[in-house]
Amino acid sequence: MTASVETERRSEITATLSEFLVGLQFNDLPDEAVEVGKIFTLECIGHMVNAHPQPVSRMLVRYARDLGATAQAAVLGGGFRTSVAEAAYVNGSLAHADELESYGTLPGSGLIPPIAAGLAVGEFRSRSGRDYLTALVAGVEMQGRLGTAGIGACDRGFMGISLVGPAGAAVTAGRLYDLTAEQMRHALGTALPLGNGSTRGCGSMAHVHEAGVPARTGVFAAQLAADGFTACDNYLDGAYSWGEQFAAGGARPYAEEKLTEGLGETLFLLTAGVAPKQYGSCGLTHQTIYGTIDILRAEGLRPDDIATVDLHVPAWADRIAPYRDPISGEQAKFSIRHGVAGLLVEGIPELPYTAAFTDEASRDPRYVAARERVRIHVDDSASVRAFADQTVVVTLHDGRTITRVVPSLTASLPSLDERVAMVERTLRRLPAENAKRLIDVVLHLEDHDLAEVAELALGGG
């Protein structure tokens, strides 16, 4: 990567970032960043298409249809087009509805806002795959640096993707609208004050707004800036900056220097441990699901061999995914207990694992009975870090116990073939030929354009 920036101008953080992000070129990107951007984009499109049967998805698609906005960008899998900003909102929400999005230990690892914004604006503006991928990497860099500097915001109850996603989406959209560095500063000054989000939405339909609203906000901010709209053009600097307002005061202090530290030397997309999900639930439920599957597979067990499962989890995980007896699919996605109980009903699942996280499964007598065999133990002394180790202890009917200690899963990625196989399953709602062609196009996106992607993923509603 050849792009570099002087990072010592601490009083000009907003300008430094804007200049770098506007100046980034496709040829500056390491090959690995291009490949990573393509597979995460493909997965995100699959999640958008796959989510349409969800009750919340049907509601938001109906909202967009009834809005009757100018047909500018596709609602992927929906069979119609709406305005650019609303397409970003609906697609971003769809991508989060099945809880299959990318994740990691830092705010900024949720890639939906820049992807949803980039797909919508890229289609409308007839941009090339190279333009999109450059814009995507720039947007992820922006939100990743905010998340790294301001991780303490999560200690105060802010939802990381909602807090940093508007800036990531604004940069990606702004690149595709050809904003200057000055205009980008105004786009950030518009988008950043509108970001916040709360962990209190977990377990309700509102959780999809964690991704959908930031995507829309970023597009909106870029559109206004492209038309000459002005805002605070140094909102990351000085008194009452974004960091002081949103990220200070948590257990982990705001680290302003991380906004520009090493800028041009590394990329957040490659260094932050961003990972795909394999289970359609909150990331904090994944370690116990993984540990239980590992025990089932390694020991050759059937679900009926298991008497009880004891799950030892940190308080942070229990705070975000607290539901013991969920009564809806939304609550099931945020239930550590239910995610494991589903394995006691169906055994080792086909990936992505989504069958347990529906309204029907949450109330199914088999799942309700299986939950009685799963016990939660909360460790209040555990680190504030969200992905602290979790422990699974399986007790068999013959009296034997088997234990797995599971650290964060974000360090171990499935192979590309495994990820593509999961995408194929999430694209089943599309005509088979469209799905096959879509996978090929996105995996070779540098040779295609966003209009082709949108047409292949449009679907028939």
Side-chain angles (χ1 to χ4, degrees), residues 118-174:
L119 291 174
V121 177
E123 177 193 0
F124 176 61
R125 297 270 294 169
S126 301
R127 301 305 296 255
S128 71
R130 291 184 174 219
D131 292 339
Y132 163 81
L133 289 166
T134 309
L136 172 62
V137 172
V140 173
E141 189 68 16
M142 180 71 247
Q143 66 179 35
R145 287 184 170 273
L146 290 172
T148 302
I151 190 170
C154 299
D155 304 336
R156 298 172 54 207
F158 285 110
M159 179 57 70
I161 187 174
S162 308
L163 189 62
V164 305
V171 167
T172 296

Side-chain angles (χ1 to χ4, degrees), residues 110-121:
L111 305 185
I112 296 173
I115 291 175
L119 291 174
V121 177

Side-chain angles (χ1 to χ4, degrees), residues 1 7 69 94 97 110 145 166 178 186 190 196 201 218 274 285 293 309 328 358 375 447 452 459:
M1 189 168 68
T7 63
L94 289 171
R145 287 184 170 273
D178 292 321
H186 290 291
T190 299
N196 42 67
V274 183
T285 71
I293 290 175
V309 183
S328 68
T358 65
R375 299 179 296 216
D447 301 321
E452 184 178 4

Side-chain angles (χ1 to χ4, degrees), residues 30-46:
D31 291 344
E32 184 184 2
V34 173
E35 297 306 312
V36 170
K38 289 188 293 188
I39 186 59
F40 276 118
T41 296
L42 179 60
E43 289 169 331
C44 196
I45 293 171

Side-chain angles (χ1 to χ4, degrees), residues 291-292 295-296 299 301-312 340 344 372-375 377 391-404:
T292 305
I295 290 172
L296 286 166
E299 302 295 329
L301 300 175
R302 298 170 303 170
D304 289 346
D305 295 327
I306 296 174
T308 59
V309 183
D310 288 275
L311 308 176
H312 299 263
V340 169
L344 301 184
E372 295 303 314
R373 294 157 61 193
V374 181
R375 299 179 296 216
H377 308 270
T391 301
V392 179
V393 181
V394 167
T395 301
L396 305 181
H397 286 296
D398 64 12
R400 288 183 295 148
T401 62
I402 306 164
T403 299
R404 291 288 188 277

Side-chain angles (χ1 to χ4, degrees), residues 424-444:
E424 290 172 343
R425 296 177 190 121
T426 61
L427 291 176
R428 286 171 177 165
R429 297 186 68 256
L430 295 180
E433 190 55 39
N434 281 33
K436 181 179 178 181
R437 176 64 179 160
L438 177 63
I439 291 170
D440 183 67
V441 165
V442 177
L443 290 181
H444 300 89

Side-chain angles (χ1 to χ4, degrees), residues 309-330:
V309 183
D310 288 275
L311 308 176
H312 299 263
V313 304
W316 178 279
D318 188 57
R319 169 185 156 192
I320 303 301
Y323 295 95
R324 300 290 193 269
D325 292 296
I327 58 173
S328 68
E330 299 298 343

Side-chain angles (χ1 to χ4, degrees), residues 265-304:
E265 299 172 7
T266 60
L267 289 172
F268 181 86
L269 186 61
L270 300 182
T271 60
V274 183
K277 283 185 177 180
Q278 300 180 72
Y279 319 133
S281 56
C282 169
L284 292 166
T285 71
H286 287 202
Q287 288 156 271
T288 52
I289 292 172
Y290 177 90
T292 305
I293 290 175
D294 185 56
I295 290 172
L296 286 166
R297 180 176 287 120
E299 302 295 329
L301 300 175
R302 298 170 303 170
D304 289 346

